[in-house]
Structures are given as C-alpha cells and as structure tokens.
Amino acid sequence: MIVDCAIYKDGHRGDAPSDLSDALDKARAEGDSFVWIGLYEPTEQEFELVTAEFQLHPLAVEDALKAHQRPKLEVYHDSVFMVLKPVDYDDAQDTVSAGELMVFVGDAFVVTVRHGHGISPSDVRHRLEADPEVLRHGPSAVLYAISDTVVDHYTDVGNELQTDLEELEAEVFQPESALPSSRHRAASTASTASRIYNFKRQVLEFRRATGPLAQPMTRLAAGDVPYTEPRTKPFFRDVADHLTRVNEQVEGLDRLMSDILQAHLTQVSVRQNDDMRKISAWAAMAAVPTMIAGIYGMNFDHMPELHYVWSYPTVLALIFGLVYGLYRTFKRRGWL
C-alpha cells in the first residue's frame, strides 16, 4: 500500500499529487522539485500504477515485489535501483532480524518500498523535512539519508552484539570455582554450546546485510552513479567509511566467536579427560580388593594362608595399604 506521497520543491513539502503523471511532469519542468512515494509491501496490482507512471524497469520491479534480495545497486536507463537490508536486534531473544528496503531514484522522483520491519522511510522523511537544506539536494539527499540511517543502525546493532559476546565470553572463561557441579555440568555445557552456535548464526545474518552493501556504497562514494549529484559524494564517502568499520567489527565478532567456540570445545574435552582420570583412578583402587578377594574366594584346599591365625587381619591390612598407596599416588598426580 502507499504509505505517503508528496512533492518537494526547494527542500519543502508541497501538497500530495492528485495524479502521479502530472506531478512528475511538473517536477521535471520546475527543475528543483521531485516526487517521493513510499510503499509498504505492495501487491503487484498496487505497484502497477507507479511502475507505469515512472517507467520503472521490470526486473527491478520484480525484485521490489518479491523481496528476499541481497543488498545491491543496479543502474537502469531511467532510474537507479538500490536494495538495503535494515536489521533489528532483539536483546531478549538474542536474535537478529532483517527487513528489506528498496529505493528507486530517478531524475525527479524517489520511490521507496519496504518489506518487513526495521528502518522506516517515514522516519527518514520526517527527519529530512525538518532539514530543508539537505532535502534541497533532491533525490540524492533521500538516498543518502536512507543509507546513512541504515548504516548508523548497523553500528548500534554491532555494539549490542559486542556487549552480548563479552557476556558469553565471560561465561565460557569463568573460573573453576564458579563452574556448576558435575551433576549439572552436562546441561550447562550443552546450553553454552547452543548459545554459541545461535550467536554465530546471528552474526552470519548480520553479515549478510552489511557485507554486500560495501560495493554499492563504494560506487556511490566514487560519484559514477547516474541521478546522484556530485555534491553528495563526500556524504556517501562518510557512509561508506562507517560501513567499513561495521564490516570490520562483524569480521572481528565472527573470528572471536570461532575462537570462543574452539576454547569451549577444548574446555569440554579437558573436563571429560579429568572425569575419565577420576573414573580410572577409582576403578584401579576398586580392582585391588576385588583381585585379592577373588583369590581367597576360590576355596582351594591347599591354600596355606587359610589356616593362619592372623591371615584375615593381614589381608585386610594389605588391602587397605595398597588402596591407600594408590589413593596417595593418584592424588599427588592430580587424578583425584
């Protein structure tokens, strides 16, 4: 559906156009005006009028309707088509969700199409309307403001992910005294591993939004994209610089996440080895009395020790001495 539609002249909003074709002709004739239409998850029928009036390329229209696109920048004969993926981070659920924002930019028009949640072009519109000096630059200013808002929100999401990663790192590397008892250790280990894998998926989802956007922002910063004013190049360079820092942060998060996962798996392996050593030590101590008792439980007639008066206490003392010696040995080596 059409969320908003207006004509902007010299940085100020005018009346909503009654006819899109007349409004576009008027904006082109005046030279300092442009039409901005905002749509939210339009159907094919709702988009037909906009497509026909602004002569949008059918391939770009198909992408705008179906969504599920990677961030990209396409240049067609009569317009420029850009796809951005705004992201939101739900701190309670530890999940990253991405929407889609498509922008058509022409000589005297801007068409924005939003799918899902995330940054709303309406918020950008209100901010630009409060700053006519920026809006006076026309469609280029709108494309810059949308890109800048999306990338700035990337920075916020990246900082939130960084904070949660530090908490997860502290959990993995907590001191031995703070570890749960062996009875609850298996459940805790499985929970930590699940959180690490889930966090890695969220970082991957974030990277899918930020990584592919680098090339389009580089092209805009270079100033070789039609329907963008040369005066906006420094602004796009600033957005590209912010995006580069975000991508570096995402790379760092991913590498650190892999290191934390490897460290966690190593810790699990070490704890399992400790448990196996303890089990082996107790089994060895249990084997000594079992072996001695087995020998004297064979009931042979010709066993000279059976008829000694001190045989029973001697065997008990021998069992105790051997088990105690094994216990001290294992304790000294850290097996118990």
Side-chain angles (χ1 to χ4, degrees):
M1 61 179 179
I2 296 180
V3 178
D4 199 354
C5 179
I7 297 178
Y8 293 88
K9 177 179 175 59
D10 197 28
H12 296 278
R13 181 181 179 122
D15 296 332
S18 57
D19 183 87
L20 295 180
S21 180
D22 292 342
L24 183 59
D25 292 339
K26 178 181 178 182
R28 284 173 172 167
E30 293 179 351
D32 57 352
S33 303
F34 69 95
V35 183
W36 184 356
I37 299 177
L39 302 100
Y40 176 70
E41 296 185 353
T43 63
E44 186 174 352
Q45 291 73 21
E46 292 172 336
F47 208 41
E48 282 181 355
L49 177 61
V50 177
T51 302
E53 294 296 343
F54 294 101
Q55 299 296 309
L56 303 179
H57 197 279
L59 293 178
V61 171
E62 182 181 0
D63 290 344
L65 290 173
K66 292 185 176 180
H68 303 294
Q69 305 296 317
R70 297 174 71 252
K72 62 180 180 179
L73 178 68
E74 299 286 352
V75 177
Y76 298 103
H77 177 66
D78 293 326
S79 63
V80 172
F81 176 63
M82 188 170 182
V83 179
L84 303 100
K85 293 182 75 70
V87 297
D88 273 330
Y89 184 60
D90 187 347
D91 189 57
Q93 301 294 328
D94 292 337
T95 56
V96 173
S97 58
E100 290 190 44
L101 186 56
M102 290 82 165
V103 185
F104 293 87
V105 175
D107 57 341
F109 69 87
V110 177
V111 178
T112 56
V113 183
R114 180 166 68 98
H115 291 268
H117 302 286
I119 300 298
S120 172
S122 298
D123 298 334
V124 179
R125 185 191 294 265
H126 296 325
R127 192 182 72 183
L128 282 174
E129 289 175 354
D131 191 357
E133 288 300 322
V134 177
L135 193 56
R136 186 174 287 114
H137 293 290
S140 297
V142 177
L143 183 59
Y144 156 71
I146 292 175
S147 303
D148 183 56
T149 303
V150 170
V151 172
D152 283 348
H153 196 60
Y154 286 164
T155 303
D156 296 336
V157 172
N159 292 335
E160 292 178 1
L161 287 171
Q162 182 70 45
T163 300
D164 285 356
L165 180 59
E166 290 172 358
E167 295 176 357
L168 186 58
E169 184 180 19
E171 178 182 331
V172 170
F173 294 104
Q174 60 184 319
E176 290 289 333
S177 57
L179 292 175
S181 62
S182 57
R183 185 175 65 177
H184 303 291
R185 188 175 298 167
S188 176
T189 298
S191 175
T192 301
S194 176
R195 285 189 60 195
I196 293 174
Y197 278 112
N198 179 68
F199 194 91
K200 196 169 181 63
R201 277 201 306 271
Q202 306 316 312
V203 172
L204 178 60
E205 183 70 20
F206 189 33
R207 173 186 275 180
R208 287 172 179 166
T210 64
L213 188 59
Q215 184 177 5
M217 293 311 307
T218 300
R219 290 185 61 186
L220 289 169
D224 60 351
V225 178
Y227 307 113
T228 58
E229 291 191 17
R231 288 177 293 178
T232 59
K233 287 171 56 177
F235 298 96
F236 283 117
R237 279 201 300 267
D238 181 67
V239 177
D241 180 62
H242 291 174
L243 181 63
T244 299
R245 290 202 296 268
V246 170
N247 281 324
E248 290 174 352
Q249 185 180 31
V250 173
E251 290 291 336
L253 288 172
D254 187 62
R255 286 196 300 268
L256 187 56
M257 198 71 253
S258 299
D259 293 342
I260 291 175
L261 177 60
Q262 186 61 41
H264 175 67
L265 295 177
T266 301
Q267 286 181 339
V268 171
S269 178
V270 170
R271 290 169 191 166
Q272 289 176 342
N273 289 338
D274 290 340
D275 293 339
M276 288 303 299
R277 283 203 299 261
K278 291 178 181 179
I279 293 172
S280 300
W282 286 112
M285 288 188 291
V288 171
T290 301
M291 180 187 66
I292 296 176
I295 292 173
Y296 285 96
M298 292 187 292
N299 297 322
F300 291 132
D301 291 334
H302 303 290
M303 293 182 68
E305 296 88 352
L306 295 176
H307 302 288
Y308 293 161
V309 175
W310 295 99
S311 295
Y312 180 66
T314 301
V315 170
L316 289 181
L318 177 64
I319 291 175
F320 177 79
L322 291 174
V323 171
Y324 182 72
L326 288 173
Y327 177 81
R328 290 297 301 272
T329 301
F330 291 139
K331 192 73 173 178
R332 187 169 56 251
R333 294 185 178 182
W335 285 37
L336 293 174

